[in-house]
Amino acid sequence: MSNVPDNLRYRDSHEWIDPMQNPSPVGITDHAQAELTDVVFVDPPKIGTQVSAGQQVCVIESVKAASDIYAPVSGEIVEVNEALSSDPGLLNRDPYLGGWIFKIKSSNPAETEALMNAEAYRKHIG
């Protein structure tokens, strides 16, 4: 069974967001990284980009496939994880702490409530 931290919120496309931090880090779930296998490249979004919830914001590539990453909430990209440019495998080794992809300053905090909690995400990945 995949690691699904209780304090995060989840999209059905396997992104997570930490709603307790502002700006909020966003990444892919343990389930997603296991499905992708070895991540070899991360094309991060540009700082300052305004995004809408559900909008494709960046791409990660693994030895198996490329995967679009979607914004869990609307807002502004305010930081990217520079460590991923030299060590994209960090997404596989530490998807919830060191492997966050970008931070977003939410323009509509209510959107976070519409995301899945950990229990719902666990059911989703079954």
Side-chain angles (χ1 to χ4, degrees), residues 70-90:
Y70 300 93
V73 296
S74 301
E76 179 183 359
I77 306 296
V78 296
E79 188 178 347
V80 297
N81 188 347
E82 298 293 340
L84 296 176
S85 64
S86 61
D87 186 11
L90 191 53

Side-chain angles (χ1 to χ4, degrees), residues 8 13 19 26 28 39 67 74-75 79 85 108 112:
L8 304 177
S13 54
V26 174
I28 62 169
V39 175
S67 182
S74 301
E79 188 178 347
S85 64
N108 185 356
T112 303

